[in-house]
Amino acid sequence: MTRTAGGEHETEDADTLAVVGEVAALRRIFPRLPNASAALVGPGDDAAVVAAPDGRYVVTTDMMIEGPDFRWAWSSPEDVGWKAAATNLADVAAMGARPTALVVAIAAPAATPVAVLEQIADGLRIACAALAPGCGVVGGDLSVSRAFTLAVTAFGDLEGRHPVLRSGARAGDVVAIAGTMGLAAQGLNALFSDAVDDDGRPDAVRAAEVVARVPEVAVQRRPMPPIAAGPVAAVAGATAMLDVSDGLALDAARIAEASGVRIEFDSSALGPDAAFALAGGEDHALLACFPRRRRCRRRSGRSAECSPRGWGRSTPRDLAHVESTSGRVSVDGRPYAGAAGWDPYSAG
Amino acid sequence: MTRTAGGEHETEDADTLAVVGEVAALRRIFPRLPNASAALVGPGDDAAVVAAPDGRYVVTTDMMIEGPDFRWAWSSPEDVGWKAAATNLADVAAMGARPTALVVAIAAPAATPVAVLEQIADGLRIACAALAPGCGVVGGDLSVSRAFTLAVTAFGDLEGRHPVLRSGARAGDVVAIAGTMGLAAQGLNALFSDAVDDDGRPDAVRAAEVVARVPEVAVQRRPMPPIAAGPVAAVAGATAMLDVSDGLALDAARIAEASGVRIEFDSSALGPDAAFALAGGEDHALLACFPRRRRCRRRSGRSAECSPRGWGRSTPRDLAHVESTSGRVSVDGRPYAGAAGWDPYSAG
């Protein structure tokens, strides 16, 4: 399967969904999907049955649509499968849970080559293997639509822990991040400025050139949320946590609002591209608040604050801290007034 | 909110998604959604947490897309919400489980009035109340798309029972149905023949006239799957069960294939419209196989075969029976050769 500069799948491949039909297409896709070790009954019946050892399960859902959410000129089907898994796995991890299973509904134009769906399955499989081993696909649905759409629902196991909500941050907490900040937005920026044709439309040939030059594009196409850091934070006593999908400022404001606190960022801890970190989403880092009382032993024998595994360096400089004044987010003591986060209905 | 004859939502309503934005739209939709009694953490965080008292949960997903799956000229937003819930609830019930929760992802054009989403929420709520009391929405996602899309994932509780799969039918079993057969297809037929304009396009004004004249249209728009009959069948020892979404013949063939048996229909038990019953889907009846050994007491004191509650009349005439010859489906002893079931990619 090749892609044209215009971003459409070439239909020289005679094996389109219209030609092959649903049953034969599913027969080709199924073997490529990752197995879930929690599946008691897997795909193929009216519903799946999944184990929930502690008597609860975590569930989240997220849709990706060709056009607003991804473009075939900029992302391969494998990238799209990866990203659909990764974004949902990050939401599960942000509750402090271990991802166990996915269900995947895909709606595709009838002219879509079956190979596109096979490669999406490959992307789902390698993302699960890389980010959440043991997690797999337990069911799905295949439909027809003029807009290529993936709807993934992901499940997780809290393993006896309390879920970490957005509402538990307390004054005095320190704020830490696991994962990268602002890289995906930098990658998207590079695609929008340099991977378009002369009329401003996404262009696969120019995208290949941008990919080779701008490493951040890889983060945009295949985000690497630090899934294991979610359960680690829960064990370490995180008071609040979420997945950074809409930029640090907007997502921190969600914790601030839910918890009735103010989150005060120190811009010097945000790296050289603080504006991208604050306004740019899609890295799918985890942002969490921890009580300051956590201490650990240094080799010197002196007690010092330290971070749970995967949650950045120890103090002196935290990413941010929580203040009791009810409000939103501030940076270096001033209310944040930078670019707002993503709203699907106000974009282009 | 009114609809034009052409089936598009009028945009005189200034409160479109583009105008109102995601956050305000969600604030209007949330209060209309049904609550789930199994929700430990409901909508609003990165993920929901749902109770799974017996350490397992049932999960299924199904998408509905404007165009191939429904048309605004023929279905109100409330109808669409109802049907999206009902089809998924039926899949849960077909495992022998009690539906507990839904997550609902919706992708809508930015010009969609928020009132459309409110009415979809109303449809989800009244369907849960009517079909599966206690079941509710625990999470969701709102996205933008040129094709109006609902992706519902539904969950259920097996309450300690074994799931009823498609693969357990055995020679000698009797086949029974709970729910209606072929009515939804008759309704759809009436819409396609009489609820179109002179160019063959779906027409809301003519649809209203058809609705008043043809009661089967109501079944097409708001199917009434007999959800409680699913757990009843499981308790009664059903060996195989599924949700009839693609017509009795195709769905019975799925049991036949999975179980390695032949299912032999008696056309005289299929009612006056046997062809519609065999080929027409979307009533979302439940089809199940039961061991013939089930007996119950009549008032006369004589033992007689009888059906579990909701599973039709007692013998002498069963809907069908299971034979050991491996094959597919036959009607009155001859292999079924009627119209095939629905394939999303071969339609229109």
Side-chain angles (χ1 to χ4, degrees):
Chain A
M1 201 278 311
T2 56
R3 285 176 293 129
T4 65
E8 290 302 313
H9 301 285
E10 283 183 2
T11 48
E12 294 166 24
D13 184 343
D15 279 357
T16 64
L17 289 168
V19 169
V20 167
E22 182 185 15
V23 173
L26 287 174
R27 206 168 287 145
R28 284 174 55 178
I29 297 163
F30 267 20
R32 307 174 92 105
L33 293 171
N35 292 320
S37 50
L40 303 172
V41 175
D45 218 295
D46 290 72
V49 183
V50 184
D54 84 352
R56 302 167 300 169
Y57 55 98
V58 159
V59 54
T60 182
T61 192
D62 199 40
M63 257 188 187
M64 276 174 55
I65 295 132
E66 198 270 322
D69 296 316
F70 68 90
R71 297 141 196 93
W72 289 126
W74 292 351
S75 293
S76 72
E78 208 173 277
D79 292 336
V80 168
W82 174 292
K83 189 163 180 170
T87 55
N88 279 281
L89 296 173
D91 280 323
V92 169
M95 301 299 284
R98 183 178 56 78
T100 50
L102 308 174
V103 294
V104 181
I106 295 181
T112 305
V114 178
V116 169
L117 299 187
E118 291 179 316
Q119 288 166 44
I120 287 174
D122 292 344
L124 293 165
R125 190 181 68 250
I126 60 173
C128 284
L131 302 173
C135 181
V137 174
V138 297
D141 185 35
L142 198 51
S143 305
V144 67
S145 176
R146 57 194 182 277
F148 199 106
T149 304
L150 281 92
V152 174
T153 305
F155 309 102
D157 181 3
L158 284 163
E159 301 174 322
R161 296 181 291 273
H162 288 292
V164 183
L165 308 183
R166 298 175 175 190
S167 53
R170 286 170 300 197
D173 284 354
V174 296
V175 181
I177 195 158
T180 58
M181 296 180 285
L183 300 188
Q186 290 179 51
L188 191 61
N189 227 35
L191 288 170
F192 267 113
S193 61
D194 296 339
V196 291
D197 65 19
D198 297 342
D199 297 322
R201 283 186 304 240
D203 183 291
V205 174
R206 295 188 185 180
E209 184 275 323
V210 176
V211 168
R213 184 167 49 79
V214 183
E216 289 81 1
V217 173
V219 181
Q220 167 61 36
R221 303 205 293 185
R222 298 200 183 192
M224 295 278 290
I227 302 302
V232 164
V235 169
T239 56
M241 180 157 56
L242 51 55
D243 156 48
V244 182
S245 54
D246 295 325
L248 213 46
L250 181 60
D251 284 312
R254 289 175 172 145
I255 290 181
E257 194 180 349
S259 301
V261 297
R262 183 161 60 87
I263 292 181
E264 164 69 32
F265 282 96
D266 177 346
S267 66
S268 67
L270 294 175
D273 294 301
F276 269 112
L278 286 165
E282 294 202 287
D283 286 48
H284 297 282
L286 299 178
L287 184 73
C289 303
F290 294 94
R292 199 177 281 279
R293 62 179 150 72
R294 246 192 88 79
R295 302 202 169 259
C296 65
R297 294 225 157 253
R298 287 273 174 77
R299 275 192 197 156
S300 67
R302 285 172 53 203
S303 165
E305 295 194 49
C306 71
S307 301
R309 194 181 177 81
W311 286 90
R313 57 156 192 261
S314 59
T315 48
R317 189 148 285 158
D318 301 310
L319 185 69
H321 64 275
V322 177
E323 302 214 346
S324 61
T325 321
S326 178
R328 309 264 297 175
V329 162
S330 56
V331 180
D332 302 335
R334 288 185 298 274
Y336 175 72
W342 160 253
D343 186 309
Y345 301 111
S346 58
Chain B
M1 201 277 312
T2 56
R3 285 174 292 127
T4 66
E8 289 303 312
H9 301 285
E10 283 183 3
T11 49
E12 294 166 24
D13 185 344
D15 280 356
T16 64
L17 289 168
V19 169
V20 167
E22 182 186 15
V23 173
L26 287 174
R27 205 168 287 145
R28 283 174 55 178
I29 298 163
F30 266 21
R32 307 175 93 105
L33 293 171
N35 292 319
S37 50
L40 304 173
V41 175
D45 218 294
D46 290 73
V49 183
V50 185
D54 84 351
R56 303 166 298 169
Y57 55 99
V58 160
V59 54
T60 181
T61 193
D62 199 40
M63 257 187 187
M64 275 175 54
I65 295 133
E66 197 270 322
D69 296 316
F70 68 90
R71 297 142 195 92
W72 289 127
W74 292 351
S75 293
S76 71
E78 209 174 276
D79 291 336
V80 168
W82 173 292
K83 189 163 180 171
T87 55
N88 279 281
L89 296 173
D91 280 322
V92 169
M95 301 298 284
R98 183 178 56 80
T100 50
L102 308 173
V103 294
V104 181
I106 296 182
T112 305
V114 177
V116 169
L117 299 188
E118 290 180 315
Q119 289 165 43
I120 287 175
D122 292 344
L124 292 165
R125 190 181 68 249
I126 59 173
C128 284
L131 302 173
C135 181
V137 175
V138 297
D141 184 36
L142 198 51
S143 306
V144 66
S145 176
R146 59 193 181 278
F148 199 106
T149 304
L150 282 93
V152 174
T153 305
F155 308 100
D157 181 2
L158 285 162
E159 301 174 321
R161 295 181 293 272
H162 288 293
V164 183
L165 307 183
R166 298 174 176 191
S167 52
R170 287 169 301 199
D173 283 355
V174 295
V175 181
I177 195 157
T180 58
M181 296 180 284
L183 300 188
Q186 289 178 52
L188 190 62
N189 227 35
L191 289 170
F192 267 112
S193 61
D194 296 340
V196 291
D197 66 17
D198 297 341
D199 297 322
R201 284 185 305 240
D203 184 291
V205 173
R206 295 190 184 178
E209 184 277 322
V210 176
V211 168
R213 184 167 48 80
V214 183
E216 289 81 0
V217 173
V219 181
Q220 166 62 35
R221 302 205 292 186
R222 300 200 181 192
M224 295 278 291
I227 301 302
V232 163
V235 169
T239 56
M241 181 158 52
L242 50 55
D243 155 49
V244 182
S245 54
D246 295 324
L248 213 47
L250 181 59
D251 284 312
R254 289 174 172 144
I255 290 180
E257 195 180 349
S259 301
V261 298
R262 183 161 61 87
I263 292 181
E264 165 69 32
F265 281 95
D266 178 346
S267 66
S268 68
L270 294 174
D273 295 301
F276 268 111
L278 286 165
E282 294 202 286
D283 287 47
H284 297 283
L286 299 178
L287 184 73
C289 303
F290 295 93
R292 197 177 283 278
R293 61 179 151 73
R294 249 192 85 79
R295 301 200 170 260
C296 65
R297 293 226 157 253
R298 287 273 175 77
R299 273 192 199 157
S300 66
R302 285 174 53 204
S303 166
E305 296 193 48
C306 71
S307 299
R309 195 179 175 81
W311 286 90
R313 57 156 192 262
S314 59
T315 47
R317 190 148 286 158
D318 301 309
L319 185 69
H321 65 274
V322 177
E323 302 215 346
S324 63
T325 321
S326 179
R328 309 264 298 175
V329 162
S330 57
V331 180
D332 301 334
R334 287 184 299 274
Y336 175 71
W342 160 253
D343 185 309
Y345 301 110
S346 58

